[in-house]
Amino acid sequence: VEHNVADLCERQTEAPRERWLTDREIKKLWGVIDDATSKDTALIYRLLLATGQREMEVLGMRWADLDFEKGEWVIPAEQTKSSRTQLVPMSALFLKLLKGREKTSEWVFPRSPHAKRGSSTRLSRSSFANPHRKVVEAAGIDYFRFHDLRKTLTTHLGELGFDEFIG
């Protein structure tokens, strides 16, 4: 093959999303998630907002990756988009959110709240499509994707003067 046929096609560029939640939207979301969805899903929303981590990183959180003595969450390279190990400091809010959570699996968010001990099945991304729509509707805010919560944290940290790489 002398030429790649795909080189003849014009590439379409996708504009980057610029959606993040305002302070008012965060307050509305935080206030309704307990009543609008399950306890696990509410906790996931809060951890996404508190850490700025990607949805799959939070869903893939394992108890073994959490060092409560050092106050660190170590996300293994194989679970990150960048393929690099990430160290996430556990804030007081992070610790408060996880306090009292029962360890029924190696995963912080196993597929079922009644998972048997030793289960290696974590909660999946597809579990959130319907609950997410209900949460957005209950909060009365414009639709957002989970990744927009990451953008929300970095935007608000930037407003406070933090470097863009902190978030």
Side-chain angles (χ1 to χ4, degrees):
V1 178
E2 292 180 33
H3 299 284
N4 183 344
V5 181
D7 290 339
L8 301 173
C9 298
E10 186 177 323
R11 286 190 125 182
Q12 293 192 347
T13 57
E14 187 177 318
R17 287 183 53 89
E18 292 295 327
R19 173 78 169 111
W20 64 88
L21 279 65
T22 64
D23 288 343
R24 185 183 67 74
E25 289 176 314
I26 294 169
K27 286 177 188 172
K28 288 177 92 174
L29 175 65
W30 201 274
V32 302
I33 53 179
D34 285 322
D35 294 329
T37 191
S38 72
K39 186 176 178 180
D40 281 354
T41 304
L43 177 56
I44 291 165
Y45 276 98
R46 288 188 169 110
L47 286 170
L48 289 168
L49 278 166
T51 65
Q53 296 305 302
R54 290 182 174 85
E55 174 189 359
M56 294 310 296
E57 293 163 352
V58 171
L59 292 177
M61 186 186 301
R62 294 179 299 197
W63 290 109
D65 299 334
L66 301 173
D67 187 333
F68 289 97
E69 288 183 21
K70 289 184 179 178
E72 298 172 344
W73 170 23
V74 180
I75 307 174
E78 61 272 9
Q79 288 186 277
T80 68
K81 183 177 175 181
S82 66
S83 297
R84 287 192 250 168
T85 300
Q86 292 183 24
L87 180 66
V88 181
M90 293 179 174
S91 66
L93 177 58
F94 184 102
L95 293 168
K96 180 180 175 184
L97 291 170
L98 286 181
K99 185 177 182 177
R101 181 143 178 96
E102 191 176 339
K103 296 178 185 177
T104 60
S105 164
E106 72 176 291
W107 306 100
V108 175
F109 299 103
R111 183 179 302 273
S112 165
H114 306 292
K116 296 178 183 174
R117 291 205 182 273
S119 170
S120 63
T121 309
R122 66 173 174 77
L123 204 55
S124 68
R125 173 181 270 178
S126 62
S127 321
F128 292 100
N130 290 331
H132 183 61
R133 286 183 188 86
K134 290 177 186 175
V135 167
V136 171
E137 186 178 300
I141 60 178
D142 289 339
Y143 186 81
F144 65 91
R145 298 185 315 197
F146 281 108
H147 194 75
D148 297 332
L149 298 177
R150 182 174 169 84
K151 176 73 173 172
T152 296
L153 180 72
T154 58
T155 298
H156 288 284
L157 285 174
E159 290 171 351
L160 294 171
F162 288 91
D163 186 279
E164 68 178 294
F165 298 106
I166 297 291

